[in-house]
Amino acid sequence: MADSSISTWREEHPEIESIFACVCDLNGTMRGKRIPVDQAEKVIDGSIRMPLSVANVDVWGEDIENSELVFETGDSDGLCDFTGRPFLPINWTSRPTALAMLWMRREDGSPFEGDPRRALARIAERYQALGLTPVVATELEFYLCDPDDDRPQAPRSPVTGKRLDSDGALSLDELQHFDEFLNDVYDACAAQGIPADAAISENGAGQFEINMKHVDDPLRAADDAILFKRLVRGIARKHGYSGTFMAKPYGDRAGSGLHVHFSLVDENGVNVFDSGDEVGTPMMLNAVAGLLETMQQNALTFAPHENSYRRLLPGAHAPTNVAWGYENRTAAVRIPGGSPTARRIEHRVAGADANPYLVLTSILGGALLGIEQKMVPPEAIVGDAYSLDLPHLPLDWASAIEAFEDGVHVREIFSKRLQKMLVECKTQELKRFARQVSDFEYHSYLEVV
């Protein structure tokens, strides 16, 4: 946005008095500053400053203990570059505001390697050097909950007033009962340029999924997912609900996933996965092999939290094994059917709680290694992946942290800086969780053992 564009934008939005200038941290949380709208030029010209460590705080927003970003550099500032996406209107707050998406660089002008968006940009540039462009779409699942309790419970229908008490997979009634909420979500998506497509009622009570249309820019796809999660939570509050993207908010109901569909097009716009039949090209198979080869090492980016591992259980509609197949939703990597011209890969591992920038970096980076190294996948599985003897994803958070720290392929995809930051962040969170004793533990053990 040039100065003239800012003037035009302010004339078109006289109601907006302030702008939230934000970067994204490792956990996918937007952090930043609220500035008066008459300082919008600072956002555009890159003069907004924030500590580099803002990208490296834990899920509670606390600094990482002994982080070199804080203690070895004196918690130095970085500069925040405008990503180029126009200011995004927010109308679910008490007063209309706007949000500006930024990403970080160092004082010397070099990109800050610990910024998750910068990690994805590096992978996109590597594809560009090969004359390839990833075309990406995401599918995000979430729950609406009653906000009146510390523990989640299903919301009441705005039509009947009754609390939802059963799973409503593909329920039209549930979609219609929450019509006003969904209408506001779609309106907000349109205002922010988010290409929201189909909405469905998912497997859990109060659970929904909204799919995004494919875009030929992975950064844009990740931006859309980040913004979508934020607006869903905001609009849910406006309607008297809470919206959650926790991977498994209920122990006995379906978890929420972040499924990613992608293909690759060449400089002529031709889908390089299209072989003219259902099999796919050798390049597609190379990409599949790369995804399988890197999946265990990158699992921390797909399942980054303690709660994430409650979703990755056999038979729970989430993949647990390293496998691929054609039209097989029990496999971690699925090749959907349909026209060969639309041949694509679906990656089904990530939870909705994951950071979309890191998820896409892992997926596109893994596929890229497979293509560059001409990896060959094992045979596609047939039938139930849960019942087969296959390599499995890390079974717990600690194992995933260790796999990411030691992963050879991780270093081929992520910078050493980001790898170290994520390991330190998740190790700090793990230690804090380990010190908490749950009510269920007291109930089970206190007067028994």
Side-chain angles (χ1 to χ4, degrees):
M1 294 176 70
D3 289 345
S4 58
S5 299
I6 294 175
S7 298
T8 301
W9 178 83
R10 290 188 62 183
E11 290 174 2
E12 293 173 347
H13 300 278
E15 75 284 3
I16 292 179
E17 301 173 354
S18 59
I19 298 171
F20 290 97
C22 302
V23 298
C24 183
D25 74 8
L26 288 177
N27 279 306
T29 299
M30 302 295 283
R31 299 189 182 277
K33 302 178 179 182
R34 172 175 166 158
I35 63 172
V37 72
D38 60 12
Q39 296 183 29
E41 290 80 4
K42 291 184 178 181
V43 177
I44 305 301
D45 66 20
S47 58
I48 296 287
R49 303 175 68 90
M50 297 185 208
L52 293 173
S53 61
V54 75
N56 189 34
V57 293
D58 65 21
V59 75
W60 302 283
E62 297 179 2
D63 283 325
I64 304 305
E65 186 176 356
N66 297 322
S67 167
E68 63 184 40
L69 288 175
V70 176
F71 298 105
E72 293 184 16
T73 68
D75 204 9
S76 61
D77 274 347
L79 296 174
C80 300
D81 288 334
F82 187 51
T83 63
R85 189 162 186 150
F87 296 154
L88 303 161
I90 299 173
N91 61 9
W92 54 86
T93 51
S94 59
R95 290 187 178 184
T97 58
L99 185 143
M101 299 192 77
L102 311 176
W103 53 348
M104 305 194 79
R105 60 182 167 91
R106 295 181 178 277
E107 194 78 55
D108 64 8
S110 61
F112 175 50
E113 313 94 319
D115 185 318
R117 196 174 191 272
R118 296 286 189 189
L120 180 55
R122 291 174 68 226
I123 294 297
E125 289 167 0
R126 289 169 61 180
Y127 274 102
Q128 187 177 20
L130 296 176
L132 298 172
T133 300
V135 179
V136 182
T138 60
E139 300 172 349
L140 271 162
E141 297 168 337
F142 62 93
Y143 275 93
L144 290 182
C145 304
D146 189 325
D148 294 333
D149 200 323
D150 289 340
R151 292 179 176 270
Q153 57 178 331
R156 296 183 183 277
S157 163
V159 174
T160 67
K162 296 180 179 179
R163 193 177 304 282
L164 303 184
D165 59 2
S166 62
D167 296 344
L170 297 177
S171 168
L172 293 182
D173 286 342
E174 199 161 308
L175 286 174
Q176 291 169 348
H177 287 196
F178 291 87
D179 192 50
E180 290 188 12
F181 164 77
L182 292 171
N183 285 341
D184 279 356
V185 167
Y186 275 95
D187 287 346
C189 285
Q192 295 194 356
I194 299 171
D197 196 9
I200 62 173
S201 172
E202 262 292 348
N203 289 320
Q207 187 185 34
F208 298 90
E209 175 184 289
I210 294 184
N211 303 332
M212 304 296 161
K213 297 176 183 177
H214 286 80
V215 293
D216 59 357
D217 179 353
L219 286 168
R220 178 72 183 229
D223 290 345
D224 289 338
I226 286 284
L227 293 168
F228 177 77
K229 291 173 72 171
R230 187 168 184 83
L231 73 81
V232 163
R233 288 190 290 262
I235 293 170
R237 288 193 294 271
K238 174 183 173 183
H239 285 265
Y241 312 118
S242 64
T244 181
F245 290 85
M246 278 182 69
K248 192 77 169 177
Y250 302 102
D252 57 353
R253 288 178 174 154
S256 293
L258 165 56
H259 298 165
V260 175
H261 293 247
F262 77 98
S263 58
L264 300 174
V265 297
D266 64 18
E267 292 168 323
N268 297 315
V270 176
N271 181 359
V272 299
F273 290 169
D274 175 14
S275 61
D277 56 25
E278 70 278 1
V279 175
T281 62
M283 185 177 287
M284 187 196 81
L285 298 179
N286 296 152
V288 168
L291 293 174
L292 301 181
E293 177 68 19
T294 58
M295 187 176 293
Q296 291 163 303
Q297 295 180 23
N298 285 338
L300 184 61
T301 64
F302 306 135
H305 306 294
E306 171 76 11
N307 178 258
S308 305
Y309 295 85
R310 299 186 185 280
R311 171 178 167 267
L312 299 178
L313 298 173
H317 300 289
T320 55
N321 294 326
V322 180
W324 75 288
Y326 292 94
E327 274 294 6
N328 190 331
R329 285 185 167 84
T330 68
V333 175
R334 167 178 171 258
I335 310 301
S339 169
T341 60
R343 187 64 62 233
R344 65 190 186 277
I345 296 172
E346 180 189 13
H347 196 282
R348 299 176 55 80
V349 179
D353 57 338
N355 181 334
Y357 296 115
L358 300 185
V359 169
L360 290 188
T361 302
S362 287
I363 292 172
L364 296 178
L368 182 63
L369 293 186
I371 292 169
E372 290 176 337
Q373 301 175 24
K374 298 191 183 306
M375 296 180 186
V376 178
E379 291 294 320
I381 67 161
V382 177
D384 180 11
Y386 302 120
S387 63
L388 301 176
D389 183 15
L390 295 165
H392 58 75
L393 293 166
L395 300 178
D396 56 67
W397 200 15
S399 299
I401 294 170
E402 182 179 2
F404 191 81
E405 182 175 23
D406 296 339
V408 174
H409 294 306
V410 171
R411 301 185 190 104
E412 297 178 276
I413 296 171
F414 291 94
S415 69
K416 291 181 181 179
R417 166 71 67 184
L418 193 142
Q419 182 186 27
K420 186 173 188 289
M421 284 171 50
L422 188 61
V423 167
E424 290 176 345
C425 175
K426 293 299 150 184
T427 299
Q428 177 163 304
E429 293 175 1
L430 173 64
K431 289 179 178 178
R432 185 165 175 179
F433 269 94
R435 292 193 293 267
Q436 307 303 312
V437 181
S438 69
D439 290 343
F440 187 64
E441 289 176 77
Y442 287 128
H443 175 75
S444 300
Y445 303 133
L446 190 62
E447 298 182 13
V448 176
V449 297

